[in-house]
Amino acid sequence: MKRVALLVLGMMIVLTLTTKLPQNAWGLLEGHGSYFIPEESSIWTFQVDVDNAGSGSFWLRGSDRTRYYALSETTWEYFHIEKENACERFDPVDIATWCELRATPIPLPH
């Protein structure tokens, strides 16, 4: 029984150190429907790069292994772009430089 508990603890430590699962699970639980993982990403790899500074628990910009993500300031959607892109003077922090961006509607809370 003690070995099983140690194995489970070890697995939890590895997941915490090697994936974004704990942070994303907390965001989904605590976010009351405002936190979401982009459909192009996963709970394992999505990383919040810029949090909302206000009272909402949503993110403003994020990334994963292959894409950058940004919430629209004017519409109910988010933008995403491949990290490997052909944009001249591309700056992941400046959405105005995202020449190949795609828009996806934000999923509605259940």
Side-chain angles (χ1 to χ4, degrees), residues 38-80:
E39 66 182 52
E40 299 80 11
S41 193
S42 81
I43 195 168
W44 300 97
T45 60
F46 181 72
Q47 169 179 307
V48 174
D49 297 327
V50 178
D51 276 313
N52 172 37
S55 61
S57 61
F58 54 90
W59 50 268
L60 299 176
R61 282 199 323 273
S63 61
D64 60 20
R65 292 181 192 128
T66 60
R67 291 182 183 86
Y68 295 107
Y69 303 90
L71 285 182
S72 171
E73 294 180 9
T74 58
T75 60
W76 194 252
E77 61 190 352
Y78 64 94
F79 304 111
H80 51 98

Side-chain angles (χ1 to χ4, degrees), residues 40 67 70 77-82 98 100-104:
E40 299 80 11
R67 291 182 183 86
E77 61 190 352
Y78 64 94
F79 304 111
H80 51 98
I81 187 170
E82 298 286 333
W98 294 18
E100 300 173 354
L101 67 90
R102 294 189 177 125
T104 302

Side-chain angles (χ1 to χ4, degrees), residues 15-36:
L15 284 174
T16 300
L17 296 175
T18 62
T19 71
K20 299 299 176 188
L21 178 67
Q23 296 91 335
N24 286 323
W26 176 252
L28 291 168
L29 289 171
E30 186 268 337
H32 305 293
S34 62
Y35 187 90
F36 71 97

